[in-house]
Amino acid sequence: MNLERTVAAVSTPFGKGGIAVIRISGKNAYDITSKVFSPKSGKNLSDYKSGFAVYGSFSDEEGLFDDGLVTFFKAPHSFTGEDTAELSCHGGILVTNRLLKACLSAGAEYASPGEFTKRAFINGKISLSQAEAVGGIIDAVTDKHLTVSANQSRGSLSNKIDKIADSLISIAASVYAYIDYPDEDMTDVSVEEMKTILIDIKNEIKKLMTTFKYGKAISEGVKTVIVGRPNMGKSSIMNFLAGFDRALVSDIAGTTRDVVTEKIRFGDIVLNVADTAGLHEADDVIEKMGIEKSLEYMKSAELVLIVADATEGLQNDDLKVIERVKEYGKEECSVLILNKTDKGDVSNNIPDLLNRTCYFSAVSPKEEQITEFKKSISEICGENEASENTEIIVNARQFSSLNKAFSAVENAISSLDSFTQDVAGFDIEEAIAALRELEGRKVSEAIVNEIFSKFCVGK
């Protein structure tokens, strides 16, 4: 990134609104702002302290066109760490575009997606995990994801990773002393003490890694498929989860022939739900195609909801579905939903074939049924493991870095058992590098560009 450029972009959503904000950042931010803004007081913009909002008029080469506010933040006391101005005008499409065009004519260049946050990272104002958390705040659809992202944007995850890295650096220093003075007792940590510390670090990293399943569930969502034989109420389950009539419901078997999908917020978890065609022996060509799609979705699902009739008990086709679930290795992420408890007496001939079974009525569920249903889903999505941690890993890049660090620490422990401290030192260095990669202190330009490319322009 060329930090010599001074960039500008609209930082508020496109469209009509009360106000729109144009952000300018870079070494020429003050000069550019002064060309398009005049304080009503008659003073110069430089007469005002950094961080103060100043009321005035916006103009371009054609003259005055709006009144508004400018807040100027002098480097390094700004989000980007550079001289930054935020220009607030009325939120009309024409006036917003005219103000941005005036800024560009005055010498600014158009900012690329995520460039302001990227500049904050490059200028050392935030770590890479904090930058990712900013994106999380913007993209959050659940309160839990918002809370986690807000905490991490303030450095909670960075601080935790730094503490783990500092412990490893302390051990590495002891190893260096051993390497430099092998014949003298220069180390202040014995091999056994070093191993004990490394085991504690390994466990700490492992605890963080176990939160990723839940972190992904609250941020990206869980790939969920609803399966079962025809006319079991799969679409009714879909509608219950969605909170509205997303899928057609009928007493006629085979109503759903294609896959119906919906992104659903279910408590603190996001479910990417697919309601599928009923699984059974079919002669109809279209129905067969729907069944094939159902099986494809089941193979890649992270959560499988198997729907059966509680009043009928499990029939041969139900057992075939369950066998298929086991064949695909989905038993641990499956819930058997015995639906239609409102239709009559529950069958007493239902074998316990899966670890999680819920009696349910999609039409009129009881409170205890909903509670048990939510509990089963949250367990599969890793909420229990995550609840024991103060930090939650929400993206695959962070998990990958932790996984590298975990493996390196394991190797260091093995090296202490089989070799000398200096051999373990190479593994410790590798673990430190992996943690530094997580925080962006040692990360490739390609990874940085990929992260910020997902940001909107103006952020």
Side-chain angles (χ1 to χ4, degrees), residues 220-408:
E220 297 177 26
V222 181
K223 191 169 184 180
T224 305
V225 62
I226 306 174
V227 297
R229 60 190 172 96
N231 207 25
M232 291 296 97
K234 296 185 295 299
S235 295
S236 295
I237 294 292
M238 169 72 137
N239 292 340
F240 165 77
L241 291 170
F244 65 96
D245 291 340
R246 174 62 182 86
L248 291 174
V249 175
S250 169
D251 291 334
I252 302 171
T255 303
T256 303
R257 292 191 165 199
D258 201 354
V259 176
V260 179
T261 60
E262 186 71 29
K263 193 180 188 77
I264 294 169
R265 173 181 169 178
F266 191 60
D268 287 329
I269 295 168
V270 178
L271 301 178
N272 299 318
V273 184
D275 176 25
T276 64
L279 299 176
H280 68 117
E281 296 295 330
D283 297 323
D284 185 272
V285 175
I286 300 299
E287 199 169 1
K288 279 184 176 181
M289 291 172 64
I291 291 170
E292 285 301 316
K293 274 193 175 183
S294 301
L295 296 176
E296 288 174 14
Y297 271 81
M298 193 195 301
K299 285 179 183 178
S300 61
E302 297 166 308
L303 171 63
V304 181
L305 304 178
I306 308 161
V307 186
D309 191 323
T311 63
E312 293 181 1
L314 297 181
Q315 306 298 307
N316 285 334
D317 280 344
D318 297 318
L319 298 176
K320 287 179 182 178
V321 174
I322 293 172
E323 284 304 312
R324 184 81 70 160
V325 165
K326 292 181 178 181
E327 177 188 333
Y328 291 160
K330 303 296 180 180
E331 185 174 359
E332 292 303 315
C333 64
S334 296
V335 181
L336 175 58
I337 303 172
L338 296 166
N339 192 28
K340 303 187 181 183
T341 57
D342 58 303
K343 295 290 186 181
D345 294 334
V346 173
S347 170
N348 56 10
N349 186 29
I350 301 177
D352 190 12
L353 298 178
L354 291 171
N355 294 334
R356 296 178 180 86
T357 300
C358 295
Y359 289 87
F360 202 72
S361 167
V363 177
S364 56
K366 297 178 180 178
E367 192 63 39
E368 59 268 24
Q369 290 179 335
I370 296 174
T371 300
E372 188 62 29
F373 188 28
K374 285 185 175 180
K375 180 184 175 185
S376 296
I377 291 178
S378 65
E379 284 177 354
I380 291 173
C381 293
E383 184 175 359
N384 292 346
E385 291 87 343
S387 64
E388 299 174 3
N389 291 268
T390 55
E391 292 301 325
I392 296 174
I393 302 302
V394 296
N395 70 54
R397 186 197 69 82
Q398 294 171 357
F399 178 81
S400 177
S401 295
L402 285 172
N403 196 32
K404 290 178 189 175
F406 179 82
S407 297

Side-chain angles (χ1 to χ4, degrees), residues 28-39:
N28 296 322
Y30 171 78
D31 290 338
I32 291 168
T33 304
S34 296
K35 290 177 182 178
V36 301
F37 177 76
S38 303

Side-chain angles (χ1 to χ4, degrees), residues 95-117:
V95 67
T96 304
N97 286 336
R98 187 166 172 180
L99 180 55
L100 176 60
K101 185 178 179 181
C103 293
L104 297 176
S105 297
E109 297 182 43
Y110 197 63
S112 58
E115 183 161 354
F116 297 108
T117 308

Side-chain angles (χ1 to χ4, degrees), residues 176-224:
Y176 296 148
Y178 172 81
I179 293 171
D180 292 339
Y181 305 98
D183 298 325
E184 301 181 38
D185 187 17
M186 295 292 292
T187 64
D188 55 358
V189 182
S190 68
V191 171
E192 286 305 314
E193 289 173 330
M194 191 177 293
K195 189 190 296 185
T196 299
I197 295 171
L198 286 173
I199 289 172
D200 288 342
I201 290 172
K202 184 186 78 168
N203 292 336
E204 191 72 18
I205 295 173
K206 185 67 175 177
K207 279 177 65 178
L208 269 176
M209 289 170 63
T210 59
T211 68
F212 177 53
K213 181 189 281 189
Y214 183 64
K216 185 172 179 290
I218 65 174
S219 56
E220 297 177 26
V222 181
K223 191 169 184 180
T224 305

Side-chain angles (χ1 to χ4, degrees), residues 59-65 98 101:
S59 62
D60 56 14
E61 57 189 16
E62 296 180 18
L64 298 177
F65 60 85
R98 187 166 172 180
K101 185 178 179 181

